[in-house]
């Protein structure tokens, strides 16, 4: 290696290390302002925007899109949109709710989103959500078919005036409360899968109350730690620890113990089976 190459290499490595050190120090001292009232800088904004676009594109290439112009589909999509999306994103003539106005990044108007995101990408975003923004993942709350319904509605959204939107709201009754029957498009039920359960845990806020080994950020002690739950004799001190009782507890803790501080979280049968499969991997001494 020639001398100048070596010098250039050392200089580059040294400046990278200095930058990392400086960044680390800034984080540690607390200079970075995390408040939702301080805007992202233009640099951070573009970085996030570009990551979002590229990430979604990579994950949707070749995805098959079902027919979206069916009238029933569009109306069903409207009913879900009104139940789950308007609160944050607003609609023609409808402002977002006060809590949503305080989010950073602010939820975009979906009139615009429907124009510049292809249908497959909208589907992916709605199904998976966007980390570190306020955008929730809907796959644990809506079936795939229902998500496509919402996408179908979003395609007609840009053409609706505030008067049209108000008319739709009058014409179409709100969705009834969810019953327990799984959606028609649900795949065949399968035996509990621990890996799926580990993922599902994060989608039912379990991590905000329990310390759970192997789950990053699950270090709260509102409820008992779940380490070694597989070897415990009782669930919550009241139910013998069998798989059937675990499913009962996960789906309906307040039916087991009306005074429990653990709320009913709307865990589906399949998700409860997966979560139980994961919990039974948590043995004593691990
Ligand atoms: C709790 C508030 C909240 C709810 C509820 C919500 N969103 Fe979002 N959504 C956000 C935020 C925040 C973003 C990220 C900022 C942004 O890019 O708009 C976002 C982003 C999006 C995007 C990407 C928009 C773009 O142009 O970048 C789409 C599409 C979207 N949401 C659709 C939906 C749909 C459909 C629903 C209902 C099923 C929904 N959202 C419910 C907060 C929410
Ligand atoms: C708001 C807080 C809260 C949330 C969210 C919560 N739990 Fe709990 N959980 C508790 C409390 C508190 C108990 C203790 C029982 C009681 O006091 O009723 C408990 C008990 C349990 C037990 C029995 C533990 C033992 O030692 O016997 C299990 C298992 C459990 N929770 C799993 C979960 C799972 C899985 C989720 C997510 C689907 C979850 N919890 C969400 C608060 C919570």
């Amino acid at each position: 290696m020639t001398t100048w190459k070596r010098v250039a290499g050392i200089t580059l490595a040294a400046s990278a290390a200095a930058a990392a050190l400086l960044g680390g120090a800034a984080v540690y001292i607390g200079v970075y302002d995390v408040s939702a009232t301080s805007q992202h800088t233009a640099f951070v904004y573009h970085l996030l925007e570009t990551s979002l676009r590229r990430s979604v594109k990579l994950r949707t290439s070749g995805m098959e899109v079902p027919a979206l112009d069916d009238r029933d589909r569009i109306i069903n999509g409207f009913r879900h949109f009104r139940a789950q999306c308007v609160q944050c994103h607003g609609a023609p003539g409808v402002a977002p709710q006060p809590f949503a106005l305080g989010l950073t990044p602010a939820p975009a108007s979906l009139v615009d989103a429907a124009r510049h995101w292809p249908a497959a990408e909208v589907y992916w975003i709605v199904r998976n959500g966007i980390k570190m923004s306020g955008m929730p993942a809907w796959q644990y709350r809506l079936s795939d078919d229902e998500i496509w319904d919402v996408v179908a509605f979003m395609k007609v959204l840009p053409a609706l005036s505030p008067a049209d939107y108000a008319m739709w709201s009058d014409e179409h009754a709100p969705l009834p409360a969810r019953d327990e029957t799984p959606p028609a498009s649900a795949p065949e039920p399968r035996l509990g899968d621990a890996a799926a359960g580990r993922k599902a845990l994060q989608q039912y806020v379990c991590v905000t109350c329990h310390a759970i080994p192997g789950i990053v950020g699950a270090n709260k002690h509102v409820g008992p730690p779940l380490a070694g739950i597989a070897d415990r004799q009782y669930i919550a001190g009241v139910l013998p620890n069998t798989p059937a009782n675990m499913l009962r507890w996960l789906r309906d803790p307040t039916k087991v113990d009306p005074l429990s501080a653990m709320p009913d979280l709307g865990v589906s049968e399949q998700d409860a089976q997966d979560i139980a499969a994961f919990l039974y991997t948590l043995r004593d001494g691990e």
Side-chain angles (χ1 to χ4, degrees), residues 205-206 209-210 222-224 232 234-236 249-250 260 262 265 275:
V205 300
C206 315
C209 289
H210 292 285
V222 179
R232 236 166 280 170
Y234 288 96
I235 299 167
W249 175 258
L250 294 177
S260 176
M262 175 156 152
L265 292 158
I275 291 173

Side-chain angles (χ1 to χ4, degrees), residues 222-248:
V222 179
L226 300 184
I229 184 79
D231 296 319
R232 236 166 280 170
Q233 275 201 309
Y234 288 96
I235 299 167
V238 290
L239 287 176
N241 190 358
T242 63
N245 279 341
M246 183 60 89
L247 293 187
R248 263 179 76 197

Side-chain angles (χ1 to χ4, degrees), residues 76-210:
N76 200 37
F78 162 73
R79 296 169 82 201
H80 284 291
F81 183 89
R82 179 176 51 186
Q84 323 276 25
C85 317
V86 167
Q87 297 77 353
C88 279
H89 289 281
V94 182
Q97 292 284 310
F99 75 83
L101 300 176
L103 289 173
T104 298
S109 155
L110 294 182
V111 171
D112 190 49
R115 284 205 194 98
H116 64 244
W117 289 93
E121 298 187 8
V122 173
Y123 165 84
W124 191 94
I125 291 176
V126 177
R127 187 165 192 280
N128 296 288
I130 306 172
K131 201 187 286 185
M132 287 204 292
S133 79
M135 175 62 186
W138 289 96
Q139 59 180 295
Y140 290 84
R141 260 61 64 176
L142 296 175
S143 71
D144 283 352
D145 230 22
E146 290 167 336
I147 296 175
W148 281 120
D149 291 349
V150 174
V151 177
F153 171 69
M154 281 176 59
K155 282 178 81 78
V156 304
L157 182 64
L160 294 186
S161 67
D164 294 332
Y165 189 85
M167 203 171 71
W168 281 51
S169 298
D170 290 342
E171 276 174 10
H172 306 295
L175 288 165
R178 247 188 213 285
D179 62 14
E180 295 293 307
T181 46
S185 66
E188 282 287 295
R190 50 184 166 70
L191 286 178
D193 166 3
R198 187 195 175 94
K199 223 173 145 188
L201 272 176
Q202 325 249 11
Q203 284 289 319
Y204 289 105
V205 300
C206 315
V207 300
T208 61
C209 289
H210 292 285

